Structures are given as C-alpha cells and as structure tokens.
Amino acid sequence: MAAEEGKARQPFRCRARGARAERSAEVSNPDSPRIPIPTELTLHPPAREDFQGPFRNSTLLCRLRGPRRGPGAAPIRWLRNGAELRDGVTAEPPAAEPSGAFVTGSRLVVTESEWDRGDVFTCQADEEMRNTSKAMECGYDQPLAAGEIRVEPVPPLFADIFRDQAARLTCRVSNLPPGVEGLDVAWLKEDGEPLATKTSAPSLQANGLLAAEGVATVSVEAWESGQTFTCRVLHPELLFPREVTMRKTTSPDASPPSLYLLPPPPEQLRARTWATLTCLLRDFNPPDVLVQWLQDGRPLPQNRALTFRPRPDTGHAPSGHAHLALSALTVPWRDWDAGSVFTCLVGHERLPLRLAQKSLDKSAALVAGVGPDEDEDLGNLWATASTFIVLFILSLFYSATVTLIKVK
C-alpha cells in the first residue's frame, strides 16, 4: 500500500490460526510516528419526505468517525428531551475508511408528531453530544439572555404508572446558562423527607440554553393518595432555592373512554397495498390515556401507529371535561387479507382493571359490514375521525406558520 496510507493505518497485525491454537503478532514501523485520527460526531436530521409514508416516521442518523473503538466501548446513546431512548434504535457496524479511520453509525426512528412538536433529540458518544430539533433546523435562535431559569413539575404519565407500577415525579429545569455548574435537584416528601433523585445531564434547548430533569420514583399508592411532593432546585444563578409542589388532583366528571375500532376504508383495501385501522376514544376524562396495538396477540412497536394527543371534545361537553383521541395503525394489505387479528388496547384510570380492548380481523369486518350505506353509525364515527385529523393538521399548519413568521 502507499506509504502515507500505511503510516495512518499501522500498527498491523499478522494472525495465524491452526487446528489447536491461534497466534498473532503486531507489525509497525517505529521510525514512522502514527498520525492521530481526530474524533468527529455528526447528527443528521430526518428526511422530511419520509414522513409522507404510511408510518409517518423518518430516521435520524448519528455518525462517529475516528480511531477504532475497543470492544468495551459504550454504544452510541440517544436521548429525547434529556430522557434516554432504547426503542427504535438501530446500531450500524463500524466500517473502515482507506485513511484508517472507522465510521460507526446509529439510527433512531422519529415520528412526525415528535418532530413537529419540537422535541430535542440528542446522540451521545463518550463525552461528545450533538442535538437537533425542528426549531434548530428552521434556524430559530432565541437570545441566550432571554428568560430566567424555569422550574416546572411534570406529573407521572398513566402509561408509566401502568407499565412500571410506580409513579415517576419529574422536575424540569430549563434556561440554564452554559458553562455554569452546581445544579442540584431534590424531591421531598410531604413530611420533608428527601427522596432519591436522579438528575439527568444537561441537554441543549432550541434557544441555546440548557435543560435538565430531576426524577424520583414513588409508589402508586403514595401518588394516588393525594400527598404533596416538593421539588427543590439549587443553582449558582439562583439567589434563593426555587421550590415547586405537585400532587395528584381529582378530575371533575372523571369517566372512562368509549372505545371504537374502525376497519380499513374499502377504497384503501381495493388498492391492495395498505390497510389502516382506526381506534377512536371518546368521552373520557382525565385526558391521560395509554394506547397499544397488537397483531395476533403480539405487541407492535409504538412507531408503527400514529397516535394523536387527546383534545377536548367540545361537541359532547362544552365544558371541556370530555376528551377525544385517535390512533391509526397502518399495516401491509397482505396481513389484513390473511386474517391477522388486530387489537387496540387502551389503558385509563377510570376503566375497570384500568384496561379495555377491542379486536378486529377481516372476517369480523365483513360480518359487521363496512359500507357507508350499511352502517350509519360507522359513517358518523368516520366523520368524527376525519374531523379530528383535519383539525390536528390545521393546528400543525398554524404552528408551523407562526414559527416561520418568528424566524423571519
């Protein structure tokens, strides 16, 4: 090989393998100093055209270029708004370049709703971190001095309580100035006893400032009993400790969701490409709800479905106490035509056993009838679902327009 290439890639290793043993020896030119390979971490935003596909998702690519990493090196980590992600991550094996550098990649699936609402995604390799979000890609940059340090409590999600049988108390601290250390976040019980609190590493916000979260875990019984929990924040930029409190409150007119599972539209099935099932939830309060899809009893990844956040159902309750949510699952037409059973599993605190489900397959849809002339109630439900989707798209368009105006 060329001399420069040999200098960059040494030392070399000669390996001999026999029937009972294997030996190797390192070969290098001591008179030729090795040229150090710099480490470079890059984060590539999602391709917007990919969001137009049936799953409404795209991919973030994180690439690490540098010297070959040892067998014990930590993998590339992904975070969303400072919280570590494990689902939807695909690691790529290292590939050697002629220069001697090795390129390692990792991909993360991101849904259109996550990207459009401005979530900040971070990839981390060793001590290097890179951030991206829709606001960063649009060039929106708020002055660093804007706003003071904010502290806000984030109540536990019903989905986390249901899955983990524990309540996660989150204290979100934002607008932290870069380069200033000394953040201390602590959760306290009602009697002042401290809870074990884990504080995340600061992550970059869209405005160039930093944000971090302090998380403590309590039992479901302690959370639902109505106890008051306090988050206390200390930081060199705060003259006095900042405290915020949080407790579970009882929602007025609490009620479980009415669950409807709608079959794929006949017009879509005639194309023999995709089939979209729609799970419609109505008349529930509080709005925190869990939706999980299953195919033949096996859970499907969350990114396979497009789930809209609950919104007030003003048509049923002008007071805003009733909510509406919708989740659409798109599957290959052949799975639907083969008779796979699809289940919409819903969790809500007011449901019996906190869980309800409805299942549907091709034969059940044919028995029930899917034509608009055969089932007037089904037509009404489709009208509701369509209205919900149109309103959601309009809200996204309005948000995007406001963001562009701010950028200009």
Side-chain angles (χ1 to χ4, degrees):
M1 64 181 65
E4 289 301 321
E5 183 181 355
K7 293 177 183 179
R9 297 181 63 177
Q10 66 173 335
F12 298 92
R13 187 169 294 276
C14 172
R15 177 178 299 161
R17 180 179 301 166
R20 297 186 178 181
E22 178 180 314
R23 298 288 186 270
S24 63
E26 188 175 284
V27 181
S28 62
N29 180 359
D31 296 330
S32 299
R34 295 181 62 188
I35 302 174
I37 301 174
T39 299
E40 180 183 8
L41 185 66
T42 57
L43 178 55
H44 304 267
R48 295 294 296 180
E49 58 269 17
D50 289 349
F51 286 131
Q52 307 305 316
F55 301 132
R56 312 295 294 182
N57 58 27
S58 189
T59 305
L60 293 168
L61 172 61
C62 185
R63 299 185 67 201
L64 177 64
R65 182 183 182 277
R68 183 164 192 168
R69 310 181 83 201
I76 295 175
R77 297 175 64 233
W78 286 96
L79 302 96
R80 184 182 65 212
N81 298 328
E84 186 171 3
L85 294 172
R86 298 186 184 274
D87 295 335
V89 176
T90 304
E92 297 181 349
E97 293 183 342
S99 63
F102 284 82
V103 178
T104 305
S106 180
R107 295 180 181 272
L108 174 69
V109 175
V110 54
T111 64
E112 186 179 32
S113 59
E114 292 172 333
W115 184 253
D116 283 342
R117 72 175 176 236
D119 288 357
V120 178
F121 294 90
T122 305
C123 76
Q124 179 180 6
D126 300 327
E127 301 301 322
E128 292 289 325
M129 300 176 68
R130 295 293 182 270
N131 300 275
T132 187
S133 70
K134 182 177 180 180
M136 293 179 186
E137 295 306 312
C138 289
Y140 174 61
D141 185 20
Q142 189 175 353
L144 295 181
E148 60 175 4
I149 294 176
R150 292 200 298 266
V151 180
E152 55 181 331
V154 181
L157 297 174
F158 173 80
D160 294 337
I161 294 177
F162 184 83
R163 293 192 186 102
D164 305 332
Q165 292 301 301
R168 287 162 44 92
L169 311 177
T170 302
C171 186
R172 184 172 296 158
V173 186
S174 55
N175 277 1
L176 293 167
V180 181
E181 299 182 354
L183 174 66
D184 181 77
V185 183
W187 277 102
L188 309 173
K189 294 183 180 179
E190 198 167 59
D191 58 5
E193 180 183 352
L195 292 166
T197 305
K198 183 178 180 180
T199 304
S200 66
S203 60
L204 190 66
Q205 299 176 173
N207 62 0
L209 300 176
L210 302 178
E213 292 183 346
V215 179
T217 303
V218 298
S219 66
V220 177
E221 294 76 13
W223 169 250
E224 295 191 341
S225 66
Q227 296 183 35
T228 300
F229 299 93
T230 301
C231 172
R232 178 180 299 163
V233 176
L234 302 175
H235 190 271
E237 295 294 321
L238 295 174
L239 294 178
F240 304 99
R242 187 78 56 83
E243 291 187 355
V244 292
T245 60
M246 180 172 63
R247 61 178 296 180
K248 178 177 172 59
T249 57
T250 303
S251 300
D253 303 329
S255 59
S258 299
L259 174 60
Y260 306 93
L261 184 54
L262 310 181
E267 297 84 358
Q268 185 188 35
L269 294 178
R270 282 195 286 269
R272 295 175 175 263
T273 305
W274 302 99
T276 301
L277 296 92
T278 305
C279 192
L280 180 64
L281 313 177
R282 301 199 69 172
D283 305 329
F284 61 94
N285 194 49
D288 198 4
V289 69
L290 164 69
V291 178
Q292 172 69 60
W293 285 93
L294 297 88
Q295 180 175 350
D296 295 327
R298 297 185 302 273
L300 294 172
Q302 293 290 342
N303 55 24
R304 289 286 303 275
L306 178 62
T307 301
F308 298 96
R309 285 177 289 181
R311 60 180 300 156
D313 189 1
T314 55
H316 275 211
S319 62
H321 293 161
H323 291 83
L324 171 73
L326 182 142
S327 181
L329 173 70
T330 299
V331 298
W333 172 84
R334 62 180 180 272
D335 290 356
W336 172 259
D337 190 61
S340 290
V341 178
F342 297 94
T343 302
C344 178
L345 189 67
V346 175
H348 189 268
E349 65 177 48
R350 300 299 296 180
L351 284 168
L353 302 180
R354 300 193 171 192
L355 207 61
Q357 67 179 43
K358 281 200 174 182
S359 300
L360 189 64
D361 61 9
K362 178 183 176 182
S363 59
L366 289 174
V367 171
V370 297
D373 297 332
E374 300 172 36
D375 195 337
E376 182 178 355
D377 292 336
L378 181 60
N380 293 335
L381 290 176
W382 268 116
T384 300
S386 302
T387 302
F388 185 92
I389 294 173
V390 169
L391 290 175
F392 183 82
I393 293 174
L394 287 175
S395 66
L396 291 180
F397 176 78
Y398 174 77
S399 301
T401 303
V402 172
T403 302
L404 290 174
I405 292 175
K406 289 182 178 179
V407 171
K408 291 179 179 179

